[in-house]
Amino acid sequence: MLAIIYALLPESLTVGPSWILLPVIPLVLIPLVITRTMGMHDTTRVIALTGITLFTLFIIGSVINLVLSLPAHTRGAVVLLRDAMLIWLSNVIIFASWYWEIDGGGPALRHKERHVTGDFLFPQMVPGGPGGEKWSPEFIDYLFLAFNTSTAFSPTDTAVLTRRAKVLMMLQSSISLVVIGVLVARAINIL
């Protein structure tokens, strides 16, 4: 999905051609599926984190290109808002993937062994919480966390426990702040 969203951006905002990430998907997914099927948890994580890092760098490059192109932007407010929305959506999906992959040793370990400790403390995990003793977060929980971080610039119901998670959330919030604050303000000014 991220590669498709990236391909929808104009080439003036992408790092390289806008279709550049489309062939990367099979290059990441095929080894990911193979190593996961073979039970190679550590290798799977390295591949997943490498892919997520690559997507993160491409989106950061797009944000930089978008900001740098603002003074010369002549394509209209609607186009600018569409581009900002695509970058913002990519930001949410990328960081949901980061949170999914880093928390509790990653998805394979979280579900193999019960999710006990990690980078985030969801309300369902507290003693007597609504999730019960065997509750483990799913991708939608991390997507919700990433969505809230991109809209409110903070986690709403989930405690952030580790420094690496805090750094990732600061990066995600910074990207959203640029996209929402600077770019939407510019688009409104164009109107």
Side-chain angles (χ1 to χ4, degrees), residues 8-9 20 25 36 40 47 61 66 99 125 147 169 179:
L8 293 173
L9 288 171
I20 192 81
I25 295 296
R36 185 170 187 256
M40 300 168 64
I47 294 168
L66 189 54
Y99 305 149
M125 298 166 66
F147 179 83
M169 293 190 102
V179 171

Side-chain angles (χ1 to χ4, degrees), residues 13-29:
L13 300 182
T14 60
V15 177
S18 59
W19 54 264
I20 192 81
L21 291 178
L22 291 172
V24 171
I25 295 296
L27 294 175
V28 172
L29 284 181

Side-chain angles (χ1 to χ4, degrees), residues 3-139:
I4 294 169
I5 293 171
Y6 198 77
L8 293 173
L9 288 171
E11 295 211 357
S12 62
L13 300 182
T14 60
V15 177
S18 59
W19 54 264
I20 192 81
L21 291 178
L22 291 172
V24 171
I25 295 296
L27 294 175
V28 172
L29 284 181
I30 291 170
L32 196 68
V33 169
I34 291 169
T35 56
R36 185 170 187 256
T37 304
M38 295 174 67
M40 300 168 64
H41 175 68
D42 292 339
T43 306
T44 302
R45 284 208 59 194
V46 168
I47 294 168
L49 291 172
T50 301
I52 296 168
T53 300
L54 181 67
F55 279 110
T56 304
L57 293 173
F58 273 87
I59 291 304
I60 289 172
S62 290
V63 170
I64 291 168
N65 288 341
L66 189 54
V67 170
L68 293 176
S69 72
L70 280 178
H73 183 79
T74 58
R75 297 179 313 155
V78 173
V79 173
L80 182 61
L81 285 171
R82 181 197 73 117
D83 295 343
M85 186 234 12
L86 289 172
I87 292 172
W88 183 87
L89 182 60
S90 296
N91 188 40
V92 170
I93 295 168
I94 286 169
F95 282 91
S97 300
W98 270 113
Y99 305 149
W100 166 255
E101 193 56 49
I102 67 163
D103 190 32
L109 192 58
R110 267 196 316 272
H111 293 288
K112 186 169 127 184
E113 303 171 15
R114 195 172 73 76
H115 185 91
V116 179
T117 61
D119 297 86
F120 304 102
L121 178 64
F122 291 89
Q124 296 89 338
M125 298 166 66
V126 297
E133 201 172 291
K134 295 187 185 230
W135 188 86
S136 182
E138 298 290 336
F139 186 77

